[in-house]
mmCIF file of all heavy atoms in Angstrom:
data_model
loop_
_atom_site.group_PDB
_atom_site.id
_atom_site.type_symbol
_atom_site.label_atom_id
_atom_site.label_comp_id
_atom_site.label_asym_id
_atom_site.label_seq_id
_atom_site.Cartn_x
_atom_site.Cartn_y
_atom_site.Cartn_z
ATOM 1 N N HIS A 21 -84.334 35.577 30.299
ATOM 2 C CA HIS A 21 -83.733 34.216 30.361
ATOM 3 C C HIS A 21 -83.454 33.674 28.859
ATOM 4 O O HIS A 21 -82.449 33.010 28.755
ATOM 5 C CB HIS A 21 -84.605 33.261 31.095
ATOM 6 C CG HIS A 21 -84.506 33.370 32.558
ATOM 7 N ND1 HIS A 21 -85.538 33.818 33.394
ATOM 8 C CD2 HIS A 21 -83.444 33.269 33.394
ATOM 9 C CE1 HIS A 21 -85.166 33.853 34.594
ATOM 10 N NE2 HIS A 21 -83.884 33.510 34.622
ATOM 11 N N LEU A 22 -84.380 33.991 27.939
ATOM 12 C CA LEU A 22 -84.093 33.571 26.609
ATOM 13 C C LEU A 22 -82.865 34.242 26.019
ATOM 14 O O LEU A 22 -81.999 33.527 25.403
ATOM 15 C CB LEU A 22 -85.251 33.907 25.648
ATOM 16 C CG LEU A 22 -86.407 32.899 25.622
ATOM 17 C CD1 LEU A 22 -87.517 33.434 24.649
ATOM 18 C CD2 LEU A 22 -86.006 31.511 25.330
ATOM 19 N N ARG A 23 -82.652 35.508 26.295
ATOM 20 C CA ARG A 23 -81.436 36.213 25.932
ATOM 21 C C ARG A 23 -80.229 35.650 26.475
ATOM 22 O O ARG A 23 -79.194 35.473 25.886
ATOM 23 C CB ARG A 23 -81.594 37.764 26.141
ATOM 24 C CG ARG A 23 -82.484 38.456 25.164
ATOM 25 C CD ARG A 23 -82.306 39.905 25.338
ATOM 26 N NE ARG A 23 -82.889 40.419 26.518
ATOM 27 C CZ ARG A 23 -84.042 40.857 26.840
ATOM 28 N NH1 ARG A 23 -84.963 40.897 25.914
ATOM 29 N NH2 ARG A 23 -84.447 41.224 28.052
ATOM 30 N N THR A 24 -80.312 35.307 27.800
ATOM 31 C CA THR A 24 -79.199 34.723 28.519
ATOM 32 C C THR A 24 -78.766 33.371 27.925
ATOM 33 O O THR A 24 -77.635 33.134 27.592
ATOM 34 C CB THR A 24 -79.493 34.538 29.989
ATOM 35 O OG1 THR A 24 -79.771 35.886 30.546
ATOM 36 C CG2 THR A 24 -78.312 33.946 30.774
ATOM 37 N N LEU A 25 -79.782 32.485 27.676
ATOM 38 C CA LEU A 25 -79.558 31.178 27.070
ATOM 39 C C LEU A 25 -78.932 31.436 25.683
ATOM 40 O O LEU A 25 -77.976 30.698 25.344
ATOM 41 C CB LEU A 25 -80.841 30.389 26.961
ATOM 42 C CG LEU A 25 -81.386 29.821 28.264
ATOM 43 C CD1 LEU A 25 -82.780 29.282 28.053
ATOM 44 C CD2 LEU A 25 -80.469 28.664 28.769
ATOM 45 N N ALA A 26 -79.487 32.243 24.868
ATOM 46 C CA ALA A 26 -79.027 32.536 23.543
ATOM 47 C C ALA A 26 -77.615 33.052 23.561
ATOM 48 O O ALA A 26 -76.762 32.524 22.729
ATOM 49 C CB ALA A 26 -79.943 33.552 22.861
ATOM 50 N N GLU A 27 -77.289 33.974 24.507
ATOM 51 C CA GLU A 27 -75.909 34.442 24.542
ATOM 52 C C GLU A 27 -74.969 33.330 24.912
ATOM 53 O O GLU A 27 -73.890 33.188 24.343
ATOM 54 C CB GLU A 27 -75.808 35.552 25.614
ATOM 55 C CG GLU A 27 -74.437 36.134 25.806
ATOM 56 C CD GLU A 27 -74.378 37.241 26.873
ATOM 57 O OE1 GLU A 27 -75.417 37.852 27.214
ATOM 58 O OE2 GLU A 27 -73.297 37.338 27.515
ATOM 59 N N TYR A 28 -75.332 32.527 25.863
ATOM 60 C CA TYR A 28 -74.396 31.481 26.306
ATOM 61 C C TYR A 28 -74.170 30.396 25.247
ATOM 62 O O TYR A 28 -73.082 29.997 24.946
ATOM 63 C CB TYR A 28 -74.989 30.780 27.570
ATOM 64 C CG TYR A 28 -74.161 29.644 28.060
ATOM 65 C CD1 TYR A 28 -72.912 29.844 28.603
ATOM 66 C CD2 TYR A 28 -74.505 28.259 27.815
ATOM 67 C CE1 TYR A 28 -72.032 28.852 29.038
ATOM 68 C CE2 TYR A 28 -73.668 27.208 28.211
ATOM 69 C CZ TYR A 28 -72.441 27.523 28.796
ATOM 70 O OH TYR A 28 -71.678 26.491 29.210
ATOM 71 N N PHE A 29 -75.215 30.061 24.583
ATOM 72 C CA PHE A 29 -75.066 29.012 23.527
ATOM 73 C C PHE A 29 -74.676 29.532 22.141
ATOM 74 O O PHE A 29 -74.566 28.779 21.230
ATOM 75 C CB PHE A 29 -76.318 28.159 23.421
ATOM 76 C CG PHE A 29 -76.532 27.282 24.619
ATOM 77 C CD1 PHE A 29 -77.532 27.522 25.473
ATOM 78 C CD2 PHE A 29 -75.703 26.176 24.866
ATOM 79 C CE1 PHE A 29 -77.764 26.731 26.611
ATOM 80 C CE2 PHE A 29 -75.967 25.384 25.977
ATOM 81 C CZ PHE A 29 -76.943 25.604 26.854
ATOM 82 N N GLY A 30 -74.557 30.868 22.029
ATOM 83 C CA GLY A 30 -74.147 31.428 20.812
ATOM 84 C C GLY A 30 -75.217 31.502 19.597
ATOM 85 O O GLY A 30 -74.797 31.316 18.467
ATOM 86 N N VAL A 31 -76.454 31.559 20.024
ATOM 87 C CA VAL A 31 -77.627 31.602 19.037
ATOM 88 C C VAL A 31 -78.300 32.857 19.252
ATOM 89 O O VAL A 31 -78.111 33.613 20.286
ATOM 90 C CB VAL A 31 -78.464 30.445 19.038
ATOM 91 C CG1 VAL A 31 -77.607 29.099 18.758
ATOM 92 C CG2 VAL A 31 -79.060 30.204 20.416
ATOM 93 N N THR A 32 -79.271 33.144 18.385
ATOM 94 C CA THR A 32 -80.182 34.285 18.674
ATOM 95 C C THR A 32 -81.366 33.771 19.542
ATOM 96 O O THR A 32 -81.655 32.626 19.409
ATOM 97 C CB THR A 32 -80.795 34.854 17.347
ATOM 98 O OG1 THR A 32 -81.610 33.818 16.656
ATOM 99 C CG2 THR A 32 -79.664 35.251 16.326
ATOM 100 N N PRO A 33 -82.030 34.654 20.194
ATOM 101 C CA PRO A 33 -83.139 34.198 21.098
ATOM 102 C C PRO A 33 -84.257 33.578 20.154
ATOM 103 O O PRO A 33 -84.994 32.743 20.665
ATOM 104 C CB PRO A 33 -83.672 35.569 21.664
ATOM 105 C CG PRO A 33 -82.491 36.393 21.716
ATOM 106 C CD PRO A 33 -81.661 36.123 20.483
ATOM 107 N N ASP A 34 -84.312 33.955 18.937
ATOM 108 C CA ASP A 34 -85.312 33.351 17.985
ATOM 109 C C ASP A 34 -85.106 31.844 17.934
ATOM 110 O O ASP A 34 -86.151 31.151 17.530
ATOM 111 C CB ASP A 34 -85.267 33.947 16.552
ATOM 112 C CG ASP A 34 -85.737 35.398 16.598
ATOM 113 O OD1 ASP A 34 -86.402 35.858 17.490
ATOM 114 O OD2 ASP A 34 -85.421 36.051 15.546
ATOM 115 N N TYR A 35 -83.942 31.259 18.074
ATOM 116 C CA TYR A 35 -83.693 29.891 18.028
ATOM 117 C C TYR A 35 -84.738 29.172 18.903
ATOM 118 O O TYR A 35 -85.292 28.146 18.573
ATOM 119 C CB TYR A 35 -82.300 29.554 18.485
ATOM 120 C CG TYR A 35 -82.139 28.090 18.758
ATOM 121 C CD1 TYR A 35 -82.028 27.184 17.758
ATOM 122 C CD2 TYR A 35 -82.221 27.579 20.102
ATOM 123 C CE1 TYR A 35 -81.959 25.786 17.983
ATOM 124 C CE2 TYR A 35 -82.111 26.220 20.352
ATOM 125 C CZ TYR A 35 -81.994 25.342 19.305
ATOM 126 O OH TYR A 35 -81.880 23.986 19.515
ATOM 127 N N PHE A 36 -85.047 29.724 20.049
ATOM 128 C CA PHE A 36 -85.874 29.075 20.988
ATOM 129 C C PHE A 36 -87.447 29.252 20.760
ATOM 130 O O PHE A 36 -88.258 28.536 21.286
ATOM 131 C CB PHE A 36 -85.655 29.577 22.469
ATOM 132 C CG PHE A 36 -84.273 29.197 22.911
ATOM 133 C CD1 PHE A 36 -83.280 30.126 22.905
ATOM 134 C CD2 PHE A 36 -83.947 27.863 23.306
ATOM 135 C CE1 PHE A 36 -81.962 29.837 23.338
ATOM 136 C CE2 PHE A 36 -82.668 27.578 23.740
ATOM 137 C CZ PHE A 36 -81.642 28.508 23.817
ATOM 138 N N THR A 37 -87.799 30.234 19.824
ATOM 139 C CA THR A 37 -89.169 30.515 19.670
ATOM 140 C C THR A 37 -89.664 30.345 18.217
ATOM 141 O O THR A 37 -90.807 30.344 17.983
ATOM 142 C CB THR A 37 -89.432 31.968 20.117
ATOM 143 O OG1 THR A 37 -88.677 32.875 19.351
ATOM 144 C CG2 THR A 37 -89.176 32.131 21.601
ATOM 145 N N ASP A 38 -88.752 30.359 17.309
ATOM 146 C CA ASP A 38 -89.154 30.304 15.868
ATOM 147 C C ASP A 38 -88.768 28.939 15.184
ATOM 148 O O ASP A 38 -87.471 28.679 15.221
ATOM 149 C CB ASP A 38 -88.430 31.485 15.189
ATOM 150 C CG ASP A 38 -88.855 31.649 13.649
ATOM 151 O OD1 ASP A 38 -88.454 30.681 12.891
ATOM 152 O OD2 ASP A 38 -89.514 32.643 13.344
ATOM 153 N N GLU A 39 -89.691 28.275 14.687
ATOM 154 C CA GLU A 39 -89.470 26.920 14.145
ATOM 155 C C GLU A 39 -88.416 26.975 12.985
ATOM 156 O O GLU A 39 -87.542 26.151 12.905
ATOM 157 C CB GLU A 39 -90.782 26.296 13.667
ATOM 158 C CG GLU A 39 -90.622 24.906 13.097
ATOM 159 C CD GLU A 39 -90.048 23.858 14.156
ATOM 160 O OE1 GLU A 39 -90.440 23.950 15.358
ATOM 161 O OE2 GLU A 39 -89.345 23.072 13.763
ATOM 162 N N GLU A 40 -88.514 27.963 12.121
ATOM 163 C CA GLU A 40 -87.570 28.042 11.006
ATOM 164 C C GLU A 40 -86.152 28.358 11.473
ATOM 165 O O GLU A 40 -85.229 27.703 10.975
ATOM 166 C CB GLU A 40 -88.112 29.168 10.013
ATOM 167 C CG GLU A 40 -87.352 29.346 8.860
ATOM 168 C CD GLU A 40 -87.850 30.371 7.860
ATOM 169 O OE1 GLU A 40 -89.048 30.439 7.672
ATOM 170 O OE2 GLU A 40 -87.034 31.137 7.324
ATOM 171 N N VAL A 41 -86.050 29.219 12.303
ATOM 172 C CA VAL A 41 -84.728 29.545 12.815
ATOM 173 C C VAL A 41 -84.136 28.364 13.564
ATOM 174 O O VAL A 41 -83.013 28.035 13.380
ATOM 175 C CB VAL A 41 -84.741 30.839 13.836
ATOM 176 C CG1 VAL A 41 -83.380 31.041 14.475
ATOM 177 C CG2 VAL A 41 -85.153 32.046 13.012
ATOM 178 N N SER A 42 -84.945 27.722 14.425
ATOM 179 C CA SER A 42 -84.399 26.585 15.187
ATOM 180 C C SER A 42 -84.068 25.409 14.204
ATOM 181 O O SER A 42 -83.002 24.789 14.464
ATOM 182 C CB SER A 42 -85.405 26.115 16.210
ATOM 183 O OG SER A 42 -86.508 25.563 15.653
ATOM 184 N N GLU A 43 -84.729 25.310 13.142
ATOM 185 C CA GLU A 43 -84.434 24.188 12.204
ATOM 186 C C GLU A 43 -83.128 24.562 11.500
ATOM 187 O O GLU A 43 -82.156 23.688 11.325
ATOM 188 C CB GLU A 43 -85.560 23.965 11.178
ATOM 189 C CG GLU A 43 -85.260 22.937 10.113
ATOM 190 C CD GLU A 43 -84.979 21.567 10.698
ATOM 191 O OE1 GLU A 43 -85.382 21.228 11.826
ATOM 192 O OE2 GLU A 43 -84.259 20.768 10.020
ATOM 193 N N ARG A 44 -82.950 25.806 11.081
ATOM 194 C CA ARG A 44 -81.750 26.144 10.440
ATOM 195 C C ARG A 44 -80.499 25.985 11.401
ATOM 196 O O ARG A 44 -79.513 25.464 11.024
ATOM 197 C CB ARG A 44 -81.829 27.662 9.983
ATOM 198 C CG ARG A 44 -80.554 28.097 9.252
ATOM 199 C CD ARG A 44 -80.795 29.517 8.582
ATOM 200 N NE ARG A 44 -80.767 30.439 9.688
ATOM 201 C CZ ARG A 44 -81.780 31.422 9.932
ATOM 202 N NH1 ARG A 44 -82.824 31.349 9.121
ATOM 203 N NH2 ARG A 44 -81.785 32.177 10.915
ATOM 204 N N VAL A 45 -80.696 26.417 12.648
ATOM 205 C CA VAL A 45 -79.589 26.302 13.616
ATOM 206 C C VAL A 45 -79.356 24.796 13.854
ATOM 207 O O VAL A 45 -78.228 24.390 14.021
ATOM 208 C CB VAL A 45 -79.973 27.102 14.895
ATOM 209 C CG1 VAL A 45 -78.940 26.838 16.103
ATOM 210 C CG2 VAL A 45 -79.905 28.559 14.613
ATOM 211 N N ARG A 46 -80.449 24.005 13.911
ATOM 212 C CA ARG A 46 -80.269 22.573 14.250
ATOM 213 C C ARG A 46 -79.328 21.978 13.173
ATOM 214 O O ARG A 46 -78.459 21.144 13.432
ATOM 215 C CB ARG A 46 -81.666 21.925 14.231
ATOM 216 C CG ARG A 46 -81.458 20.383 14.667
ATOM 217 C CD ARG A 46 -82.713 19.641 14.347
ATOM 218 N NE ARG A 46 -83.176 19.587 12.908
ATOM 219 C CZ ARG A 46 -82.489 18.917 12.041
ATOM 220 N NH1 ARG A 46 -81.462 18.145 12.288
ATOM 221 N NH2 ARG A 46 -82.891 18.992 10.780
ATOM 222 N N ARG A 47 -79.635 22.261 11.900
ATOM 223 C CA ARG A 47 -78.704 21.776 10.757
ATOM 224 C C ARG A 47 -77.274 22.258 10.903
ATOM 225 O O ARG A 47 -76.406 21.459 10.754
ATOM 226 C CB ARG A 47 -79.305 22.162 9.471
ATOM 227 C CG ARG A 47 -80.564 21.416 9.042
ATOM 228 C CD ARG A 47 -80.993 21.760 7.633
ATOM 229 N NE ARG A 47 -81.058 23.149 7.264
ATOM 230 C CZ ARG A 47 -82.136 23.880 7.282
ATOM 231 N NH1 ARG A 47 -83.302 23.308 7.654
ATOM 232 N NH2 ARG A 47 -82.096 25.114 6.954
ATOM 233 N N GLN A 48 -77.201 23.442 11.350
ATOM 234 C CA GLN A 48 -75.768 24.034 11.593
ATOM 235 C C GLN A 48 -75.136 23.311 12.746
ATOM 236 O O GLN A 48 -73.913 23.028 12.622
ATOM 237 C CB GLN A 48 -75.804 25.557 11.859
ATOM 238 C CG GLN A 48 -76.255 26.316 10.651
ATOM 239 C CD GLN A 48 -76.554 27.793 11.063
ATOM 240 O OE1 GLN A 48 -76.759 28.165 12.275
ATOM 241 N NE2 GLN A 48 -76.622 28.638 10.087
ATOM 242 N N MET A 49 -75.924 23.021 13.728
ATOM 243 C CA MET A 49 -75.291 22.394 14.862
ATOM 244 C C MET A 49 -74.912 20.942 14.504
ATOM 245 O O MET A 49 -73.835 20.518 14.994
ATOM 246 C CB MET A 49 -76.348 22.247 16.088
ATOM 247 C CG MET A 49 -76.503 23.608 16.787
ATOM 248 S SD MET A 49 -77.505 23.470 18.317
ATOM 249 C CE MET A 49 -79.098 22.819 17.626
ATOM 250 N N GLU A 50 -75.617 20.306 13.715
ATOM 251 C CA GLU A 50 -75.289 18.956 13.302
ATOM 252 C C GLU A 50 -73.917 19.055 12.570
ATOM 253 O O GLU A 50 -72.980 18.203 12.894
ATOM 254 C CB GLU A 50 -76.280 18.298 12.386
ATOM 255 C CG GLU A 50 -77.536 17.846 13.105
ATOM 256 C CD GLU A 50 -78.651 17.336 12.204
ATOM 257 O OE1 GLU A 50 -78.405 17.357 10.937
ATOM 258 O OE2 GLU A 50 -79.583 16.898 12.658
ATOM 259 N N PHE A 51 -73.791 19.920 11.746
ATOM 260 C CA PHE A 51 -72.498 20.089 11.064
ATOM 261 C C PHE A 51 -71.322 20.446 12.016
ATOM 262 O O PHE A 51 -70.307 19.848 11.958
ATOM 263 C CB PHE A 51 -72.588 21.155 9.977
ATOM 264 C CG PHE A 51 -71.399 21.393 9.245
ATOM 265 C CD1 PHE A 51 -70.756 20.474 8.397
ATOM 266 C CD2 PHE A 51 -70.643 22.677 9.454
ATOM 267 C CE1 PHE A 51 -69.625 20.757 7.685
ATOM 268 C CE2 PHE A 51 -69.505 22.883 8.781
ATOM 269 C CZ PHE A 51 -68.925 22.000 8.016
ATOM 270 N N ALA A 52 -71.608 21.417 12.863
ATOM 271 C CA ALA A 52 -70.570 21.848 13.846
ATOM 272 C C ALA A 52 -70.147 20.815 14.771
ATOM 273 O O ALA A 52 -68.984 20.642 15.115
ATOM 274 C CB ALA A 52 -71.078 23.143 14.556
ATOM 275 N N VAL A 53 -71.176 19.999 15.292
ATOM 276 C CA VAL A 53 -70.876 18.917 16.202
ATOM 277 C C VAL A 53 -69.978 17.890 15.506
ATOM 278 O O VAL A 53 -69.069 17.391 16.116
ATOM 279 C CB VAL A 53 -72.151 18.345 16.754
ATOM 280 C CG1 VAL A 53 -71.894 16.965 17.452
ATOM 281 C CG2 VAL A 53 -72.838 19.283 17.709
ATOM 282 N N ALA A 54 -70.210 17.649 14.262
ATOM 283 C CA ALA A 54 -69.416 16.663 13.542
ATOM 284 C C ALA A 54 -67.960 17.207 13.465
ATOM 285 O O ALA A 54 -67.021 16.413 13.480
ATOM 286 C CB ALA A 54 -69.983 16.536 12.118
ATOM 287 N N LEU A 55 -67.690 18.470 13.514
ATOM 288 C CA LEU A 55 -66.435 19.059 13.556
ATOM 289 C C LEU A 55 -65.720 18.918 14.943
ATOM 290 O O LEU A 55 -64.584 19.073 15.035
ATOM 291 C CB LEU A 55 -66.401 20.512 13.106
ATOM 292 C CG LEU A 55 -66.936 20.736 11.635
ATOM 293 C CD1 LEU A 55 -66.878 22.198 11.323
ATOM 294 C CD2 LEU A 55 -65.954 19.978 10.727
ATOM 295 N N ALA A 56 -66.597 18.729 15.983
ATOM 296 C CA ALA A 56 -66.143 18.558 17.363
ATOM 297 C C ALA A 56 -65.168 19.545 17.893
ATOM 298 O O ALA A 56 -64.160 19.336 18.514
ATOM 299 C CB ALA A 56 -65.512 17.118 17.493
ATOM 300 N N ASN A 57 -65.494 20.855 17.602
ATOM 301 C CA ASN A 57 -64.679 21.886 18.175
ATOM 302 C C ASN A 57 -65.597 23.030 18.534
ATOM 303 O O ASN A 57 -66.250 23.620 17.754
ATOM 304 C CB ASN A 57 -63.722 22.381 17.049
ATOM 305 C CG ASN A 57 -62.787 23.474 17.513
ATOM 306 O OD1 ASN A 57 -63.212 24.506 17.875
ATOM 307 N ND2 ASN A 57 -61.471 23.163 17.430
ATOM 308 N N ASN A 58 -65.487 23.465 19.798
ATOM 309 C CA ASN A 58 -66.322 24.534 20.368
ATOM 310 C C ASN A 58 -66.161 25.784 19.609
ATOM 311 O O ASN A 58 -67.163 26.535 19.341
ATOM 312 C CB ASN A 58 -66.045 24.672 21.881
ATOM 313 C CG ASN A 58 -66.930 25.643 22.517
ATOM 314 O OD1 ASN A 58 -68.178 25.726 22.202
ATOM 315 N ND2 ASN A 58 -66.408 26.383 23.477
#
């Protein structure tokens, strides 16, 4: 299920389990959301 979620949302499975990875992705998401383009 983690792999499925990761594949769908375009992240690595570590995003859901590793604080450092999730923080890095969170910062990237903030930037990407600001661009408003999937």
Side-chain angles (χ1 to χ4, degrees):
H21 280 117
L22 278 182
R23 282 191 296 267
T24 300
L25 287 169
E27 179 182 333
Y28 178 71
F29 289 112
V31 296
T32 66
D34 290 344
Y35 165 78
F36 295 103
T37 60
D38 183 293
E39 182 64 34
E40 184 178 314
V41 172
S42 66
E43 179 57 25
R44 185 175 66 239
V45 170
R46 185 193 62 72
R47 286 191 309 267
Q48 292 169 344
M49 285 187 301
E50 286 177 354
F51 175 71
V53 167
L55 297 176
N57 183 299
N58 186 35

